[in-house]
Amino acid sequence: MTHHTFREITFSINGRPRTLYIDMRKSLLEVLREDLGLTGAKQGCGVGECGACSVLVDEVLVDSCIYLAVWADNKNIRTIEGEAKNGKLSTVQQAYVDEGAVQCGFCTPGFIMATTSFAENCTGKKITEDDIRKSHAGNLCRCTGYQNILKAVEKSIHPDKE
Ligand code: FES
Ligand code: FES
């Protein structure tokens, strides 16, 4: 007989507090998708290589497939589901749409969280294309829409520039 160890954790998910009783071996990605029904973050590689599962934990970008859910106890989690506000896409989401940076869409939630984190951290700084590439190096797009994604990131940083 196998014994699973369960533990109660409390975190804020997209601004709402939640308390869950979870299997301690579960990844944050599994808890988001299976226990909370938040399927925006995707299971790609499952080993921290592709970024499809990217979410923000206390404003830090993490691969939720290799982040244990128990580590999120008392933290603030942001997922793609919380980014649109009152039916309006976030600046970053809108930039991805405007620049045609979404093909099959599998990588998009992860990319959007990476861009969101990058954009929120670079206000007022001078950003090079190299900064953009490095900050998104953990996110892979199988449809290889990188050119348009780059443009979308640029637009996320300077939404008013045409
Ligand atoms: S699914 Fe998490 S990094 Fe690929
Ligand atoms: S849009 Fe298909 S994997 Fe990126």
Side-chain angles (χ1 to χ4, degrees):
M1 194 175 131
T2 48
H3 291 275
H4 295 180
T5 315
F6 284 78
R7 208 184 106 186
E8 187 178 278
I9 62 166
T10 298
F11 52 53
S12 148
I13 175 81
N14 298 325
R16 296 215 177 107
R18 290 294 301 257
T19 298
L20 297 168
Y21 197 59
I22 56 153
D23 184 331
M24 285 183 70
R25 299 168 309 171
K26 271 195 164 186
S27 68
L28 179 58
L29 180 64
E30 289 170 320
V31 166
L32 291 173
R33 295 181 59 88
E34 297 165 10
D35 299 72
L36 294 172
L38 297 172
T39 55
K42 298 287 181 280
Q43 161 92 43
C45 67
V47 292
E49 299 286 343
C50 76
C53 62
S54 301
V55 301
L56 300 185
V57 177
D58 282 352
E59 306 305 330
V60 175
L61 190 68
V62 307
D63 291 325
S64 64
C65 69
I66 52 167
Y67 189 98
L68 285 177
V70 288
W71 295 341
D73 195 19
N74 293 316
K75 297 204 162 88
N76 294 307
I77 318 299
R78 278 169 69 187
T79 70
I80 190 70
E81 284 87 353
E83 293 305 297
K85 301 274 189 291
N86 305 317
K88 193 171 175 293
L89 296 180
S90 72
T91 305
V92 176
Q93 288 173 314
Q94 191 61 55
Y96 272 70
V97 173
D98 292 348
E99 296 299 337
V102 183
Q103 293 181 58
C104 79
F106 187 82
C107 70
T108 312
F111 261 103
I112 296 215
M113 297 317 287
T115 306
T116 300
S117 158
F118 180 65
E120 289 176 359
N121 282 304
C122 74
T123 353
K125 294 182 196 147
K126 202 169 161 7
I127 298 302
T128 64
E129 194 173 306
D130 202 44
D131 294 329
I132 294 180
R133 286 184 194 280
K134 280 198 185 119
S135 62
H136 291 72
N139 292 79
L140 306 180
C141 176
R142 294 179 302 193
C143 302
T144 63
Y146 291 111
Q147 264 329 100
N148 290 1
I149 290 172
L150 261 180
K151 285 193 220 148
V153 179
E154 293 266 6
K155 186 160 190 166
S156 302
I157 303 167
H158 306 291
D160 303 323
K161 212 164 90 183
E162 273 314 308

